[in-house]
């Protein structure tokens, strides 16, 4: 991992910074940047450990990319994007040792419980940052700990991560019933806005 990034992550963690909006983030975190993640080594450098948060407007009409290179599906048989058509879909990129991801899980698990019967499908794509996060047994323990019952594809080779052009943990994508992206959020926060969007898409 890049030593400068590691120092920045540690500093932000110990300062205990709360969630900040994109305007504050761009001022207070001048080193916050996107980096292409074609491999595990470069992907590891992009965990948003400082509680930075960005809401991104996705391209209108862009379809959800297909799941690729999934090693294993937990809590589910293998799924495709076609299997999710007709449902509002929340795609969550996470890894269990990421503190920012952990802070989002109570919201995501609640949305799953509350809105599943109305047509919400949550898919928690687990893409590891560290070696021990690649172990399926460790992931299963995290699922139990956080009471995660929605499908979790294990993306150890970063192929789905790359298909989504993702660069951060955590990262949420929200798609309508036709499979078109409607909301894109990086980091913590914006929970009320995300839930409002879920309700709107569910109709």
């Amino acid at each position: 991992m890049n030593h400068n990034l590691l120092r920045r992550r540690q500093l932000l963690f110990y300062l205990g910074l709360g969630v900040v909006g994109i305007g504050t983030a761009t001022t207070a975190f001048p080193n916050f940047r996107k980096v292409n993640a074609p491999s595990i080594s470069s992907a590891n450098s992009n965990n948003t450990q400082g509680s930075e948060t960005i809401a991104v407007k996705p391209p209108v009409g862009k379809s959800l990319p297909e799941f690729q290179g999934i090693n294993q599906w937990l809590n589910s048989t293998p799924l495709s994007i076609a299997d999710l058509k007709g449902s509002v879909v929340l795609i969550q990129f996470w890894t269990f040792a990421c503190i920012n991801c952990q802070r989002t899980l109570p919201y995501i698990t609640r949305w799953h419980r509350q809105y599943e019967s109305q047509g919400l499908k949550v898919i928690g794509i687990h893409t590891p940052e560290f070696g021990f996060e690649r172990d399926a047994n460790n992931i299963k323990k995290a699922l139990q700990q956080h009471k995660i019952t929605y499908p979790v594809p294990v993306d150890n080779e970063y192929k789905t991560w790359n298909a989504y052009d993702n660069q951060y943990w955590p990262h949420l994508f929200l798609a309508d019933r036709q499979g078109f992206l409607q909301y894109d959020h990086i980091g913590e926060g914006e929970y009320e806005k995300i839930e409002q969007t879920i309700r709107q898409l569910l109709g």
Side-chain angles (χ1 to χ4, degrees):
M1 177 182 296
N2 181 283
H3 293 297
N4 290 332
L5 180 62
L6 178 59
R7 285 196 296 270
R8 180 171 69 85
R9 283 175 54 183
Q10 291 172 335
L11 174 63
L12 294 173
F13 177 80
Y14 290 122
L15 286 176
L17 293 176
V19 175
V20 295
I22 184 169
T24 306
T26 53
T27 303
F29 303 97
N31 294 326
F32 186 84
R33 57 189 172 85
K34 289 186 177 182
V35 180
N36 291 330
S39 65
I40 292 175
S41 59
S42 59
N44 285 350
S45 68
N46 294 286
N47 192 324
T48 59
Q49 288 284 5
S51 294
E52 300 105 314
T53 178
I54 295 178
V56 182
K57 183 174 178 59
V60 176
K62 181 178 179 181
S63 298
L64 284 175
E66 189 57 75
F67 306 119
Q68 298 181 23
I70 298 302
N71 304 88
Q72 184 177 0
W73 283 81
L74 304 177
N75 294 339
S76 174
T77 57
L79 297 171
S80 68
I81 293 300
D83 294 327
L84 303 175
K85 287 292 178 66
S87 299
V88 172
V89 181
L90 178 63
I91 299 288
Q92 164 208 23
F93 279 92
W94 72 297
T95 186
F96 69 78
C98 164
I99 185 61
N100 304 99
C101 298
Q102 292 171 19
R103 290 171 181 160
T104 67
L105 290 174
Y107 298 93
I108 295 171
T109 54
R110 179 176 64 80
W111 295 334
H112 170 65
R113 292 192 306 270
Q114 185 170 347
Y115 298 112
E116 181 183 24
S117 63
Q118 299 177 42
L120 177 68
K121 297 290 187 184
V122 178
I123 307 293
I125 301 171
H126 188 275
T127 312
E129 180 175 12
F130 302 110
F132 66 91
E133 293 172 309
R134 301 171 65 85
D135 188 319
N137 289 326
N138 291 336
I139 301 171
K140 290 176 183 177
K141 290 177 184 176
L143 300 188
Q144 293 178 346
Q145 177 185 352
H146 297 286
K147 300 179 180 178
I148 295 170
T149 58
Y150 49 79
V152 175
V154 179
D155 184 31
N156 280 350
E157 303 305 319
Y158 288 77
K159 291 184 179 180
T160 298
W161 169 286
N162 287 326
Y164 277 72
D165 196 24
N166 186 36
Q167 299 165 39
Y168 305 99
W169 297 270
H171 195 162
L172 301 180
F173 297 88
L174 190 58
D176 62 22
R177 293 183 187 272
Q178 289 72 47
F180 297 115
L181 285 167
Q182 299 297 328
Y183 193 81
D184 183 336
H185 182 78
I186 296 167
E188 300 176 43
E190 297 289 337
Y191 302 117
E192 290 184 7
K193 174 63 176 176
I194 296 168
E195 185 167 8
Q196 180 183 39
T197 305
I198 289 171
R199 289 176 175 172
Q200 290 173 347
L201 293 175
L202 288 172

